Amino acid sequence: MSEDAASSSEAAPSADATQDHADTATATDTSDATPRSPLRRRLATVTAVALALLLVAGIGSAYAYYRFLQGNMTRHDLSSALSDEERPPKIGDAVNILFIGSDGREGGNAAYGGRDFVGERSDSLMLAHISPDSRVTVINIPRDSLVQLPSCAPYGETEGTTGYYGMINSALFHGGPPCVIKTVESLTGIRIDHFVHLSFVGFRDMVDAIGGVPMCIPEPMSDKRSKLDLKAGRQRLDGEEALSFVRARYEIGNGGDIGRIDRQQMFLGALADEVTSSGVLTSPSKINRLLQAITEHTATDDDLSLSRMVSIGSTLAEADLHDITFYTVPWYPAPSDPNRVAWNEEKAQRLFTAVSRDEPVSDAMLETGAPKSTPSESPLPPPSYPAEPSTEPVTPANSSTPSPTGDDITGRDATSNPCVNGLGEGTEDGAK
């Protein structure tokens, strides 16, 4: 469902109307980022929005431009798809956004590999918690997690499902975004305020819109399946390279999804640094291209309007890199299938409770961009994953095996980068 779709022809701003010297900035190491004034970041955000509107003043009013962008977006009415009585309560003024990375191969996504089954599943799931004081906590949910899926009604072209124990990435296949939200809320107890359903093409175009993202790659990386081919050293990844980097899995380390999540978190840290420190927020051309990429290739809930995005972006602009923290749901290899992930319920609940109450994860062992004093050792070998997931129900093992990783919840902040911290779990030896 597209809101104001007919208005998309009212204005068609050029993505290249203005160019500035920031597009040619050289790559930098995120661990060397300098502190930025909160006031300066807020002014930069406000200035960027104003300049973006002025950019299209010659071809239409700011209102027409707003309607053009709004008309690009696919919108979902969650209130009609989810029962409010069955959802967790809203607590405080923090904002919780669920990012759903789809593995669908329709349209432009067909260039990123064939499929031997229909439908789409969530290739990645990230829950971003944005506090009023600009703290940002991101929880990555492994796609191969075995969880109790709730019953979901049919939605769009999906057929719905009864509740069963299976892989969390199947929720999107069964009931679209509403089923994913219902599943995550039932497992975490965290109220989801908004969601963003993002395609491969959308991710690629957003990275290109800001002129790429600088990263330090500690060693040559290649993965034929994701078309990854990077040399070692500091470099600026364009959209295609960034997409390959965050998708790479099968030929990197042990091929596990947990290691891929580690690398995705490092990339997101580098992305946050690039957006807040290199002139992106004060470049009309980049802001214009970014807004067009976001609205053209993403689906959201009805309440996540463009003005709401700008308001959230203003809050994010004030965040320091050390205030942006990433966690993966505490896990261990599933007793019923070592190729799948089971959650450490006690640790996971502590993490979810802290986030739902807008509290810091006080017992977290955070990894930063600082060199490690001693190499970390994984107490359990990460599982090796099969080529494709299944939507078939799985019978849970009669086991309550806990994770033997201690009581601490581990994570990393946005200063973490591959050249200092390695390429992620399962690839430590190759990253030294």
Side-chain angles (χ1 to χ4, degrees):
M1 295 180 291
S2 178
E3 182 183 275
D4 298 329
S7 66
S8 62
S9 60
E10 295 182 25
S14 169
D16 300 312
T18 305
Q19 192 67 37
D20 59 67
H21 64 84
D23 291 334
T24 59
T26 57
T28 58
D29 189 337
T30 59
S31 64
D32 296 330
T34 56
R36 294 175 294 278
S37 162
L39 176 61
R40 187 178 69 178
R41 286 191 293 267
R42 177 175 288 277
L43 290 175
T45 304
V46 175
T47 301
V49 175
L51 289 175
L53 296 178
L54 290 174
L55 179 67
V56 296
I59 54 177
S61 67
Y63 179 67
Y65 179 54
Y66 176 86
R67 286 175 59 84
F68 162 75
L69 293 173
Q70 286 281 99
N72 275 346
M73 299 174 68
T74 300
R75 315 295 289 278
H76 295 264
D77 182 7
L78 292 181
S79 62
S80 65
L82 298 173
S83 170
D84 195 65
E85 290 76 15
E86 298 177 357
R87 304 182 65 189
K90 172 70 175 175
I91 300 176
D93 296 325
V95 178
N96 299 312
I97 305 176
L98 184 65
F99 290 88
I100 306 170
S102 169
D103 70 354
R105 295 306 200 279
E106 295 181 357
N109 289 335
Y112 297 102
R115 307 291 287 176
D116 57 7
F117 55 88
V118 296
E120 62 176 337
R121 292 152 184 79
S122 52
D123 199 54
S124 63
L125 278 176
M126 292 185 296
L127 175 57
H129 174 84
I130 305 168
S131 301
D133 61 1
S134 302
R135 282 185 300 106
V136 181
T137 304
V138 180
I139 301 176
N140 285 76
I141 302 174
R143 53 168 273 172
D144 293 337
S145 298
L146 290 177
V147 299
Q148 183 61 44
L149 293 161
S151 61
C152 291
Y155 185 83
E157 298 180 357
T158 69
E159 298 180 354
T161 184
T162 58
Y164 71 92
Y165 186 79
M167 286 173 57
I168 196 170
N169 71 338
S170 299
L172 185 63
F173 173 86
H174 290 306
C179 188
V180 182
I181 291 171
K182 184 176 182 180
T183 300
V184 173
E185 287 187 339
S186 68
L187 294 170
T188 66
I190 299 172
R191 175 73 172 234
I192 305 300
D193 299 300
H194 305 292
F195 81 91
V196 176
H197 185 193
L198 182 63
S199 67
F200 293 146
V201 172
F203 177 88
R204 178 199 68 193
D205 288 358
M206 281 188 278
V207 173
D208 281 336
I210 64 173
V213 174
M215 285 201 74
C216 185
I217 306 300
E219 61 182 18
M221 298 179 64
S222 63
D223 184 273
K224 291 181 180 179
R225 189 159 186 159
S226 68
K227 301 179 181 179
L228 178 69
D229 185 15
L230 295 177
K231 297 180 180 179
R234 296 183 181 181
Q235 54 201 284
R236 182 175 290 270
L237 305 186
D238 62 23
E240 288 285 358
E241 292 168 332
L243 179 60
S244 295
F245 180 82
V246 299
R247 290 182 61 218
R249 164 181 173 178
Y250 296 99
E251 298 176 44
I252 306 296
N254 67 358
D257 191 48
I258 300 300
R260 177 169 65 170
I261 288 175
D262 285 349
R263 295 186 291 277
Q264 289 173 349
Q265 291 174 348
M266 293 177 190
F267 177 83
L268 291 175
L271 174 64
D273 186 36
E274 176 69 5
V275 169
T276 59
S277 68
S278 67
V280 169
L281 296 178
T282 55
S283 167
S285 62
K286 289 181 179 179
I287 288 292
N288 186 38
R289 292 195 298 266
L290 181 60
L291 289 175
Q292 291 192 55
I294 291 173
T295 57
E296 184 177 354
H297 296 298
T298 63
T300 68
D301 56 281
D302 277 340
D303 293 330
L304 188 56
S305 63
L306 201 59
S307 58
R308 178 63 168 154
M309 289 183 185
V310 171
S311 175
I312 294 172
S314 178
T315 300
L316 291 174
E318 296 186 19
D320 184 87
L321 292 181
H322 289 286
D323 293 328
I324 303 174
T325 53
F326 300 93
Y327 302 91
T328 300
V329 175
W331 64 279
Y332 56 92
S336 61
D337 184 350
N339 292 321
R340 301 289 181 243
V341 166
W343 292 3
N344 180 312
E345 296 296 340
E346 188 274 330
K347 280 188 178 183
Q349 191 55 53
R350 281 196 281 125
L351 176 61
F352 301 150
T353 299
V355 170
S356 68
R357 295 176 178 174
D358 192 29
E359 297 172 351
V361 185
S362 58
D363 59 347
M365 296 291 290
L366 278 179
E367 179 180 82
T368 71
K372 300 176 183 178
S373 56
T374 57
S376 63
E377 296 181 0
S378 176
L380 280 176
S384 57
Y385 292 79
E388 299 293 352
S390 168
T391 58
E392 294 300 316
V394 177
T395 303
N398 184 19
S399 172
S400 58
T401 305
S403 169
T405 56
D407 294 330
D408 293 318
I409 299 174
T410 59
R412 58 169 44 86
D413 68 26
T415 66
S416 180
N417 71 80
C419 280
V420 175
N421 304 109
L423 286 170
E425 184 151 358
T427 59
E428 290 87 348
D429 290 339
K432 291 180 180 178

